[in-house]
Every structure is written in C-alpha cells, then in structure tokens.
Amino acid sequence: MYLNGRVEFAQIGRFVDSIDLVVVDREVLTPRGERPQYHIKVVGGWPGLAEVQQLQKEVKAGRASQEELLKFAQQHLRLPEEDANVGLLVIDKRVKGFLQLVAQVVPTS
C-alpha cells in the first residue's frame, strides 16, 4: 500500500533502529470528512537510517555501545519536519494496543 502523508510528529525509534512518525493521510477522507492518522515505523529509505541500522548490528555484536549508537543517530539522522510531505510504502502492519504500520520512504510524485 502506498501512503502519501503529512508528518505531524517524528522521533528516533525506541530501539534506535527506525524512525517513528505520526502521519496524516493526504489522499483519503473518512465518512465523517476527517483524514486518517497513522503511527508509522520507518525502517528504510530515509537518509542515514541504513548507517544507523548497521551500527545497531555492531552494538548487538558487542563492538559498539548503546551510547555511541544514540549519539551517532542524533548526529546523522535528520528527522522529517512537522508538516513535511512523505511518500511511504507500507510493508507490514502490527497491532499491539494500537495499529502501527511498518514502511519505507519512497519519492513522492
């Protein structure tokens, strides 16, 4: 599923291996005339994310510390700004009390 969204909130993921977003769908209206809002876990396609994920593997192998990972992520991951438009390719969904979509960033058209 492709989602063309507007970012309402962005932060580095809890395990420092993704970016957590709250996104409002720009193309769909609910029957009440509202735009749906989704919690998204971005796992690919964002600049710097692959490098952070590689360092996460180094942490798991014991060759780097969690502090180094967090510092690296804060320096190299430039989070999307509020109201930025993002194109997302949803690759999975998870339900743990609320729906979370897992996605990769793709170019918007």
Side-chain angles (χ1 to χ4, degrees):
M1 170 178 121
Y2 178 79
L3 173 64
N4 185 14
R6 179 179 52 81
V7 175
E8 292 209 335
F9 177 78
Q11 70 181 15
I12 296 173
R14 179 178 175 193
F15 299 108
V16 195
D17 63 348
S18 61
I19 298 173
D20 292 339
L21 302 177
V22 175
V23 174
V24 174
D25 195 323
R26 296 184 68 230
E27 297 179 350
V28 174
L29 286 174
T30 65
R32 297 188 320 199
E34 300 169 343
R35 301 230 179 250
Q37 184 181 67
Y38 301 102
H39 292 265
I40 311 282
K41 179 176 180 163
V42 176
V43 295
W46 189 258
L49 188 56
E51 292 82 2
V52 170
Q53 291 169 337
Q54 183 61 40
L55 187 54
Q56 173 73 304
K57 291 178 185 176
E58 297 293 318
V59 169
K60 287 181 181 178
R63 294 186 290 266
S65 71
Q66 188 69 26
E67 293 79 26
E68 290 173 308
L69 174 62
L70 186 56
K71 185 176 180 182
F72 182 85
Q74 290 171 337
Q75 291 175 350
H76 292 89
L77 271 183
R78 191 164 164 226
L79 297 175
E81 296 182 14
E82 189 174 320
D83 293 330
N85 293 323
V86 292
L88 299 162
L89 179 62
V90 177
I91 56 176
D92 195 10
K93 63 181 176 183
R94 299 178 181 161
V95 179
K96 290 186 179 178
F98 65 94
L99 175 66
Q100 180 183 45
L101 302 177
V102 179
Q104 295 180 344
V105 175
V106 295
T108 56
S109 46

